[in-house]
C-alpha cells in the first residue's frame, strides 16, 4: 500500500482531539495505517510540552512533536526537548504596555520554558475548565521571573478576534500575536509560527513541505497550511482557516482526520 504524502501533520485541540480530550479509535487506526504505509505523523500544537506530554504518552506516540506554537521540538519517545525558543521578556513587556495603552488593562498568564515549565496565571485571568494544571500567581511580577515560551492575554470585554486584531495593530514588529483557540490569544516571539517548528522537525526526518498533509482548526494553523503541500480544515474550524484550506473535512467530533486519511489510503491501494 502506498500513500501520497510522506508526512501528516495534525494540530491537537479541535483537530486530533475530540472535545473530551481523547482520540477516537477510528482516528488512531487511520493514523496507524498511514504510518504503516510509510508516512511520518507529527503532532503540531500550541500547547507547550508539559501540557502535551500526557496525551502523547496515552497515544503511545514516540515520534517528534512540535509544541508551544512552534517554539519546541520534542522527542516523545525519549522524553527529550530537542529545540526550544523563548520569548524576550523585555520586548514582551513593552508590547503589552502598547496593547494596554490601546485597549485598557489585560489579564495575563505565562507559559514557562522547559520540559516541566509551569503555566502561571495572573490576577483576573480566566482559566478554562479541564485537566491542564496552572499555578496562580498573586504577584504579577512572578510571571516574568523565569524564561517563557509565550504570554496569554485576555480582555474583560473584547472577544478573541477583536483582541487579537487590536493587539496585532498595537505591537508592530516587537512580537507576534495569534489566536489559538477559544479564549486563547497569545504573545509569541516575532516570526515564530507552527510552520517554523514543523519545518525544523520535518528536516530532522529528511522531509519537506512538498511531502506534507496538514490538518488544523484555528488561525494559528494558517502558516502551517501555507507551508504544507495541502491543508485540510476541520468542519469546526475558524472561518479564517477555512478560507485558506484546500479541503474541509468533518469535525473533530466526527473523525475528520480519519475521513481524509481513509479516502487517501483507499485511493492509493
Amino acid at each position: 500500500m502506498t500513500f501520497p504524502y510522506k508526512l501528516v501533520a495534525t494540530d491537537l485541540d479541535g483537530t486530533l482531539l475530540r472535545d473530551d480530550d481523547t482520540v477516537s479509535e477510528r482516528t488512531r487506526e487511520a493514523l496507524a495505517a498511514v504510518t504503516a504505509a510509510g508516512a511520518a505523523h507529527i503532532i503540531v500544537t500550541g500547547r507547550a510540552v508539559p501540557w502535551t506530554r500526557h496525551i502523547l504518552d496515552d497515544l503511545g506516540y514516540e515520534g517528534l512533536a512540535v509544541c508551544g506554537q512552534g517554539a519546541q521540538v520534542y522527542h516523545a519517545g525519549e522524553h527529550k526537548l530537542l529545540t526550544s525558543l523563548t520569548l524576550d521578556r523585555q520586548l514582551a513587556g513593552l508590547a503589552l504596555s502598547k496593547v494596554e495603552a490601546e485597549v485598557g488593562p489585560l489579564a495575563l498568564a505565562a507559559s514557562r520554558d522547559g520540559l516541566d515549565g509551569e503555566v502561571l496565571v495572573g490576577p483576573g485571568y480566566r482559566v478554562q475548565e479541564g485537566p491542564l494544571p496552572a499555578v496562580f500567581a498573586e504577584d504579577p511580577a512572578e510571571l516574568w521571573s523565569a524564561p517563557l515560551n509565550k504570554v496569554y492575554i485576555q480582555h474583560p470585554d473584547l472577544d478573541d478576534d477583536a483582541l487579537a486584531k487590536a493587539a496585532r495593530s498595537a505591537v508592530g514588529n516587537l512580537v507576534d500575536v495569534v489566536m489559538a483557540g477559544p479564549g486563547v490569544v497569545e504573545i509569541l516571539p516575532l516570526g515564530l509560527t507552527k510552520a517554523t517548528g514543523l519545518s525544523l522537525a520535518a528536516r530532522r526526518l529528511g522531509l519537506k513541505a512538498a511531502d506534507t498533509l496538514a490538518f488544523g482548526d484555528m488561525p494559528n494553523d494558517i502558516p502551517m497550511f501555507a507551508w504544507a503541500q495541502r491543508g485540510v480544515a476541520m468542519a469546526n474550524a475558524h472561518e479564517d482557516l477555512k478560507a485558506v484550506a484546500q479541503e474541509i473535512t468533518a469535525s473533530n467530533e466526527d473523525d475528520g482526520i480519519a475521513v481524509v486519511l481513509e479516502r487517501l489510503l483507499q485511493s492509493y491501494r
Side-chain angles (χ1 to χ4, degrees), residues 19-268:
D19 294 344
D20 64 358
D21 263 6
T22 63
V23 180
S24 75
E25 198 55 43
R26 180 181 175 187
T27 297
R28 287 175 189 249
E29 287 174 4
L31 285 166
V34 162
T35 53
H41 173 217
I42 294 181
I43 288 173
V44 187
T45 177
R47 299 186 189 207
V49 169
W51 277 9
T52 310
R53 245 184 342 200
H54 65 288
I55 291 167
L56 303 181
D57 290 345
D58 176 62
L59 279 170
Y61 182 92
E62 296 190 341
L64 300 181
V66 176
C67 301
Q69 225 63 271
Q72 300 170 315
V73 177
Y74 172 66
H75 193 303
E78 296 177 3
H79 293 98
K80 185 187 294 183
L81 201 52
L82 302 180
T83 65
S84 191
L85 180 68
T86 56
L87 177 64
D88 184 310
R89 285 170 279 170
Q90 197 168 355
L91 278 183
L94 178 58
L96 288 169
S97 68
K98 287 180 176 290
V99 178
E100 291 189 325
E102 294 293 324
V103 302
L106 299 168
L108 307 177
S111 175
R112 284 185 168 170
D113 187 40
L115 279 176
D116 301 304
E118 298 166 319
V119 172
L120 290 159
V121 175
Y125 191 91
R126 303 178 303 281
V127 179
Q128 296 181 18
E129 289 296 316
L132 300 178
V135 177
F136 287 90
E138 292 302 324
D139 179 359
E142 277 188 66
L143 271 60
W144 305 96
S145 62
L148 304 174
N149 298 127
K150 65 174 89 172
V151 173
Y152 300 93
I153 61 175
Q154 287 180 348
H155 191 274
D157 303 313
L158 296 176
D159 67 23
D160 301 328
D161 288 312
L163 176 57
K165 184 178 179 182
R168 210 171 282 126
S169 170
V171 301
N173 290 322
L174 290 172
V175 293
D176 272 343
V177 179
V178 71
M179 203 276 267
V184 185
V185 178
E186 301 177 355
I187 302 284
L188 300 169
L190 188 66
L192 175 70
T193 69
K194 285 187 172 186
T196 322
L198 180 55
S199 64
L200 281 175
R203 197 177 309 147
R204 284 176 174 266
L205 300 177
L207 301 174
K208 305 183 294 293
D211 300 319
T212 306
L213 171 67
F215 293 86
D217 74 314
M218 278 291 161
N220 61 325
D221 294 314
I222 291 172
M224 179 167 73
F225 277 25
W227 182 83
Q229 176 70 22
R230 186 170 182 82
V232 181
M234 314 304 286
N236 50 289
H238 191 284
E239 290 305 318
D240 289 358
L241 186 68
K242 287 181 176 178
V244 300
Q246 279 108 335
E247 180 180 346
I248 297 168
T249 185
S251 74
N252 63 320
E253 287 290 294
D254 295 318
D255 298 308
I257 290 176
V259 168
V260 173
L261 298 183
E262 288 164 359
R263 185 191 75 228
L264 289 170
L265 285 163
Q266 194 65 35
S267 301
Y268 286 84

